[in-house]
Amino acid sequence: GVGPSDASPDEGVVEDLPLIDEKAVEQLTEGLISYYLPDLQRSKSALQELTQNQVVLLETLEQEISKFKECNSILDIDALFSEAKHYHNKLVNIRNEMMMLHEKTSKLKVSVINI
C-alpha cells in the first residue's frame, strides 16, 4: 500500500506557496525597468560617444603616422642630396687635380723637349 513514506518530499509544499499576482509582477518589472533604464541609456550613449572618440583618435593617429613616414622619406632624400653634393665636390676636386697634373706634365714635356 501507499504509505506516508512513499509520498514525494515536494508534496504539500505547493499548497504553501502564495498565489503569484501577475499584475504585481508586471508592476514590479515595470518599476525596475523604469528605475534602471535611464542609467542604462546614459551608459549606452556614453559608450557610443567613447567609441566615436576612439574612432576619431585612431584616424588622427593614422594621419600623424603617415606624416612621420613622409618626414622620414624627406629626411632620407635630404641625406641623399647632401651625400650627392659631397661626392660632386669630391669629383670637382679630383677633376681640378687632374687638370693641374695635366698642366704640370705638359710643362714637363715641353721642358724635356727643350733640353
Side-chain angles (χ1 to χ4, degrees):
V2 176
S5 58
D6 294 335
S8 160
D10 291 339
E11 243 178 85
V13 176
V14 177
E15 286 96 60
D16 295 343
L17 285 174
L19 282 170
I20 294 166
D21 184 354
E22 300 260 334
K23 189 135 182 74
V25 169
E26 208 175 292
Q27 284 175 333
L28 273 170
T29 308
E30 278 176 17
L32 277 170
I33 287 172
S34 66
Y35 181 76
Y36 285 112
L37 199 60
D39 277 343
L40 286 170
Q41 282 172 333
R42 271 197 295 275
S43 299
K44 184 185 174 186
S45 63
L47 279 170
Q48 281 174 334
E49 196 178 326
L50 194 64
T51 308
Q52 284 171 340
N53 287 344
Q54 280 181 331
V55 167
V56 170
L57 190 65
L58 279 172
E59 284 173 357
T60 310
L61 273 173
E62 279 171 11
Q63 286 170 359
E64 290 301 310
I65 288 168
S66 63
K67 278 183 198 171
F68 273 117
K69 281 181 182 169
E70 281 172 29
C71 280
N72 269 347
S73 59
I74 288 168
L75 286 174
D76 288 349
I77 290 167
D78 276 352
L80 203 67
F81 273 121
S82 62
E83 218 172 302
K85 220 179 205 175
H86 174 69
Y87 284 114
H88 173 72
N89 289 339
K90 271 191 168 184
L91 282 170
V92 167
N93 289 339
I94 290 169
R95 193 189 66 180
N96 290 341
E97 280 178 32
M98 295 279 280
M99 283 171 73
M100 274 167 58
L101 279 171
H102 178 68
E103 273 179 42
K104 279 182 181 174
T105 51
S106 301
K107 281 179 185 172
L108 273 172
K109 273 183 190 170
V110 169
S111 57
V112 165
I113 289 168
N114 288 338
I115 290 173

